[in-house]
Amino acid sequence: MEESPAWEPEGWGPSGRWPAPRGARAGPTLSSVLNELPSAATLRYRGPGVLPWGALEEDEDEERNVQAFAEAALKELQDPGPSRELPWPMQARRAHRQRHARDQMAQGSGSRVANWALRLRRSKEKMREALHTLEPWGWTLKRIGGQFGAGTESYFLLLRFLLFLNVLASVLKVCMTLLPTWLDGGPPGPPDPPGPGPSSPCGSYNPHPQGLVSFPSQLFNLLSGAGFLEWSPLFYGFYPPRQRLATTYLCSTFAIGLLSLLLILRRSVSGLKQTLLAESGVLTSYSHRVFSAWDFGLRGEVHVQLRRRRIRYELQVELEEAQVRRQAAVRTLGQQARVWAVRLLLNLLVAALLGAAFYGVYWATGSTQALKELPLVSRTRLLELGVDYLPSIFISGVNLVLPPVFKLITRLEGYTRSRQIVLILLRTVFLRLASLLVLLFSLWNQITCGGKPEAEKCKACGYNYKELPCWETRLGQEMYKLLLFDLLTGLAIMLLIQFPQKLLCGLCPGPLGRLGTQEFQVPDEVLGLIYAQTVVWVGSFFCPLLPLLNTAKFLLLFYLKKLTLFSTCSPASRTFRASTANFFFPMVLLLGLAISAIPVLYSIFLIPPSKLCGPFRGHVSIWDQIPESISRLPQTIQDFLFFLGTQAFAVPLLLISSILMAYTLALANSYGGLISELKRQVEKEARNKVFLAQRAVALSSDHGAL
């Protein structure tokens, strides 16, 4: 039986000899062999100017190869050819095929309308690409994602999104609140002091202090929202009772809530796809990270290093979670029972801590008025300011102390890193948002006399007019103080703790020097953003310019956090999956929006407006302004608007929505069954390939033995 000759690489001499000179070699060169690899096809997707495999080794043809390849790549970008032959993703191929078909139809028809439509579509595509390149802080976010992981990058992405939301809310408030105030009769003057004539049954309201005001008092007024700020466009009480202004004032609140809801839903739905894929196990395999995560369009050493770090962090997350899942799979029944007992005890401890924190917030808010009446507090302006900030100080202190305790408790429960992040976020967001609700409940208790309108303090006007003559402004001042104190607390932590710790420990060698390097705590920082945004949503009705203040705060916060991150922080030793951030963070933000809607809607529909301030004075409720404005519209529009609130419109709408929902569920179930069947086929094909490979190895070994 003949023996098959041993293979020798072409271009090399016989075995045991040195390779022949390049000019004397026969057969294909190394460059031509490498260009036949399937991975060489990705060069067409990288864009012009990228060298082919082995081009640097051909010294004499280097310039010609680069020029020829650049011309070929440019030609291919202009006329890529059939979509089936393009080394692009399936979605890009489909979009290319549809665009090519539309272009051919427009060119074949020869009509002006089709040509104008083609030009308009191309202009839109170019404009979309230009807007994408103008995306703010794009390069900064890439650096953060590559150096600190996708989790840290998700915080800055959320901060940019919230900054955009606040800019839109500020524009709406300025256009629908400030401009009508100035254009429709000018800004109002301060309320007149009570005179000798008949006084109002609801008392008097004069926010301006009498006499000369010292500079420390002006500074305290700036921090507390009282004095000159109380009668300014910043708060509700400044705006006069005008028909058009009252309507636009109320509509701006609904417009901001609806716009925020739509944008958050859009962001959460886009992240839901990535979360479902990540949790289903389709994209969490290591082969996906190794073979499909690289971007061949990268140029420059910096971009390459950032991409390498990003893939390394993703692999680190997968390995950590796989290790925890393996440990959970080998637990015995006794070990599992012990784990659940520990989790039950730790959750009871968390509930006790939350209950103590909520009681403290309720006490601090309810005791503010009583503490102000003490002689020592009333004589000392600084103590009075501290009493004013007592609820904000207590809420910020609780939010600063309890999240690290929750983090320590969560590590003892034995969950995966992603599950730990979710639990920390849930507990912390419950702490922050529930503390805000407790504060609002305490204020509601003061405004409505504990929900008893027949009480002596609330009987005349429907609210506690003696302590709170303009209760809307008081609510706005509380939200203003929460926002301002949150900003001051963050600045103090950065300037007085983080930077000095880094400077002092940086001078010390060894392990002591490493203490100055901290990790960027993504869950705490994200919850801080959501808490601040929830405060703005609650206070935007009572403090119309609060979104504008929050815009400046978030802009300052972005650069301060960026400076802190690159100066004092190191990459996290335990990262988490980016899909958790892409979906869960917007969902928590949506929860904050829902919670903020409760006190605002309750105030609009159920609490009587102040009789001495604001654009709704003289109405039974704030919502009465809407029916009154509708009654001034033409009769046809009135009939249409009232038809939208009848059963004749609601019942068909409910039926159509139910049919569409049932159809969508049926379609999703059919697609799910098809996907499951395709997965089984893929697994079967993989087993067939393994079996055929084993048979081929066995047959080749038998053939060699013969």
Side-chain angles (χ1 to χ4, degrees):
M1 194 169 182
E2 288 187 347
E3 210 170 307
S4 59
W7 179 84
E8 292 183 358
E10 299 183 24
W12 286 77
S15 301
R17 296 178 56 185
W18 291 98
R22 181 172 297 185
R25 297 178 194 172
T29 62
L30 179 60
S31 177
S32 60
V33 172
L34 292 175
N35 284 329
E36 293 177 2
L37 293 174
S39 54
T42 59
L43 288 169
R44 291 180 288 171
Y45 195 51
R46 298 187 207 178
V50 183
L51 301 180
W53 297 107
L56 295 178
E57 296 182 6
E58 306 290 341
D59 297 333
E60 64 275 8
D61 298 333
E62 181 177 353
E63 185 177 355
R64 186 172 65 245
N65 287 342
V66 173
Q67 183 178 1
F69 181 77
E71 293 176 357
L74 184 60
K75 181 179 179 182
E76 185 174 6
L77 287 175
Q78 294 175 352
D79 186 15
S83 59
R84 186 180 296 274
E85 299 179 3
L86 294 174
W88 292 358
M90 188 174 295
Q91 186 177 3
R93 292 184 186 181
R94 187 181 297 115
H96 169 262
R97 184 167 59 250
Q98 294 174 356
R99 185 169 58 252
H100 188 62
R102 287 196 300 264
D103 293 348
Q104 284 185 342
M105 186 181 299
Q107 293 174 359
S109 62
S111 64
R112 289 186 176 181
V113 177
N115 289 331
W116 277 107
L118 177 62
R119 293 178 182 177
L120 182 62
R121 187 173 63 254
R122 289 179 176 176
S123 300
K124 287 182 179 179
E125 292 175 357
K126 292 181 180 179
M127 188 178 299
R128 191 179 297 112
E129 293 176 358
L131 291 176
H132 184 70
T133 57
L134 294 177
E135 196 173 29
W137 304 310
W139 167 240
T140 301
L141 294 176
K142 286 182 180 179
R143 282 186 61 200
I144 293 171
Q147 189 165 342
F148 297 93
T152 307
E153 182 186 6
S154 64
Y155 164 80
F156 286 90
L157 286 171
L158 181 63
L159 179 56
R160 185 177 66 179
F161 172 72
L162 292 179
L163 182 62
F164 175 69
L165 267 185
N166 282 275
V167 168
L168 290 180
S170 302
V171 172
L172 285 175
K173 279 294 183 182
V174 169
C175 294
M176 301 180 70
T177 302
L178 275 183
L179 288 182
T181 303
W182 260 262
L183 296 178
D184 193 11
D192 297 328
S199 60
S200 170
C202 297
S204 61
Y205 174 63
N206 184 21
H208 280 276
Q210 303 298 324
L212 185 63
V213 181
S214 62
F215 176 75
S217 298
Q218 295 282 25
L219 181 60
F220 292 147
N221 291 335
L222 179 64
L223 294 175
S224 61
F228 70 96
L229 275 183
E230 188 170 350
W231 191 261
S232 69
L234 187 61
F235 293 111
Y236 167 93
F238 170 81
Y239 296 93
R242 298 170 185 165
Q243 178 71 28
R244 187 182 306 173
L245 174 62
T247 305
T248 57
Y249 190 100
L250 187 57
C251 289
S252 66
T253 303
F254 290 121
I256 290 173
L258 182 61
L259 184 64
S260 301
L261 176 64
L262 294 177
L263 290 176
I264 295 172
L265 285 177
R266 179 178 177 272
R267 184 178 179 87
S268 60
V269 168
S270 63
L272 178 62
K273 300 177 182 178
Q274 303 176 15
T275 304
L276 292 177
L277 286 174
E279 297 298 332
S280 64
V282 177
L283 295 181
T284 56
S285 60
Y286 306 119
S287 59
H288 167 73
R289 302 283 184 250
V290 174
F291 296 108
S292 304
W294 189 256
D295 185 6
F296 286 95
L298 295 175
R299 300 179 186 177
E301 185 66 21
V302 178
H303 297 273
V304 172
Q305 292 297 330
L306 291 177
R307 189 65 179 181
R308 284 177 180 172
R309 291 177 187 146
R310 192 186 189 97
I311 296 174
R312 184 183 66 194
Y313 288 137
E314 292 175 357
L315 288 173
Q316 180 182 349
V317 172
E318 298 297 336
L319 291 172
E320 287 179 356
E321 298 198 353
Q323 182 181 1
V324 175
R325 285 192 293 266
R326 283 196 301 268
Q327 293 175 357
V330 298
R331 286 176 188 155
T332 62
L333 184 60
Q335 292 174 342
Q336 194 72 22
R338 187 162 53 250
V339 168
W340 282 106
V342 170
R343 290 176 181 175
L344 179 61
L345 293 176
L346 291 175
N347 279 285
L348 290 176
L349 176 60
V350 169
L353 292 174
L354 289 174
F358 297 155
Y359 177 77
V361 174
Y362 182 78
W363 173 85
T365 309
S367 304
T368 301
Q369 194 67 29
L371 291 175
K372 280 185 178 180
E373 296 175 358
L374 295 177
L376 179 62
V377 176
S378 59
R379 288 196 304 266
T380 309
R381 194 70 178 91
L382 186 59
L383 287 179
E384 187 178 354
L385 181 65
V387 170
D388 282 336
Y389 268 90
L390 187 60
S392 303
I393 292 172
F394 203 95
I395 290 177
S396 298
V398 165
N399 292 334
L400 191 64
V401 173
L402 287 188
V405 178
F406 292 160
K407 190 178 303 177
L408 179 61
I409 291 175
T410 308
R411 289 182 180 178
L412 301 176
E413 292 178 312
Y415 291 111
T416 61
R417 177 61 174 167
S418 296
R419 183 67 60 84
Q420 290 181 23
I421 293 293
V422 171
L423 284 176
I424 293 172
L425 284 172
L426 286 175
R427 289 166 179 170
T428 311
V429 75
F430 183 73
L431 169 67
R432 287 178 177 267
L433 299 184
S435 301
L436 184 60
L437 283 179
V438 170
L439 170 65
L440 293 172
F441 175 76
S442 179
L443 291 173
W444 167 85
N445 201 20
Q446 297 178 22
I447 294 169
T448 62
C449 302
K452 300 175 182 178
E454 68 277 2
E456 183 181 355
K457 295 181 179 179
C458 299
K459 190 174 182 179
C461 301
Y463 63 93
N464 190 355
Y465 65 93
K466 293 183 179 179
E467 296 181 4
L468 303 170
C470 187
W471 62 266
E472 296 94 344
T473 297
R474 170 65 188 278
L475 276 175
Q477 287 173 340
E478 291 296 331
M479 299 302 108
Y480 170 79
K481 287 186 285 187
L482 284 175
L483 183 71
L484 188 60
F485 192 77
D486 186 60
L487 175 62
L488 295 177
T489 304
L491 290 175
I493 291 175
M494 290 181 201
L495 299 177
L496 302 179
I497 297 177
Q498 293 179 342
F499 283 108
Q501 181 181 355
K502 178 66 176 179
L503 292 175
L504 294 176
C505 296
L507 301 176
C508 304
L512 188 60
R514 288 193 292 270
L515 293 176
T517 304
Q518 309 140 22
E519 292 185 4
F520 193 80
Q521 304 297 333
V522 177
D524 298 341
E525 300 291 345
V526 167
L527 265 299
L529 292 180
I530 295 175
Y531 167 76
Q533 187 60 43
T534 305
V535 169
V536 171
W537 280 326
V538 173
S540 61
F541 180 77
F542 311 104
C543 182
L545 297 187
L546 201 61
L548 187 62
L549 297 179
N550 201 42
T551 301
K553 173 193 170 182
F554 278 167
L555 190 63
L556 177 64
L557 193 65
F558 185 92
Y559 290 103
L560 288 176
K561 290 296 181 182
K562 173 190 169 185
L563 179 63
T564 305
L565 183 69
F566 286 103
S567 301
T568 66
C569 297
S570 62
S573 58
R574 303 179 68 196
T575 58
F576 61 96
R577 190 177 291 139
S579 60
T580 303
N582 294 332
F583 174 69
F584 192 76
F585 290 168
M587 291 304 296
V588 176
L589 191 62
L590 195 63
L591 176 63
L593 178 62
I595 290 177
S596 66
I598 296 174
V600 175
L601 293 178
Y602 187 87
S603 302
I604 291 174
F605 286 99
L606 297 179
I607 302 181
S610 298
K611 302 298 189 292
L612 302 174
C613 66
F616 302 100
R617 66 184 80 168
H619 291 83
V620 178
S621 69
I622 296 176
W623 177 252
D624 287 345
Q625 180 64 41
I626 298 299
E628 186 177 337
S629 301
I630 293 176
S631 63
R632 290 182 170 85
L633 296 174
Q635 188 63 37
T636 306
I637 300 178
Q638 290 185 40
D639 295 339
F640 174 73
L641 292 176
F642 284 117
F643 170 73
L644 296 180
T646 60
Q647 295 180 355
F649 175 77
V651 173
L653 180 63
L654 181 62
L655 290 176
I656 294 174
S657 302
S658 302
I659 293 172
L660 290 176
M661 187 178 298
Y663 172 75
T664 304
L665 290 175
L667 193 63
N669 290 332
S670 63
Y671 284 160
L674 180 60
I675 290 172
S676 301
E677 182 64 28
L678 291 175
K679 285 181 179 179
R680 286 193 293 269
Q681 291 183 11
V682 169
E683 293 175 358
K684 190 181 298 182
E685 291 295 331
R687 289 195 295 267
N688 291 339
K689 290 180 180 180
V690 171
F691 173 75
L692 291 175
Q694 292 174 350
R695 295 295 298 167
V697 170
L699 289 175
S700 62
S701 61
D702 293 343
H703 180 70
L706 293 176

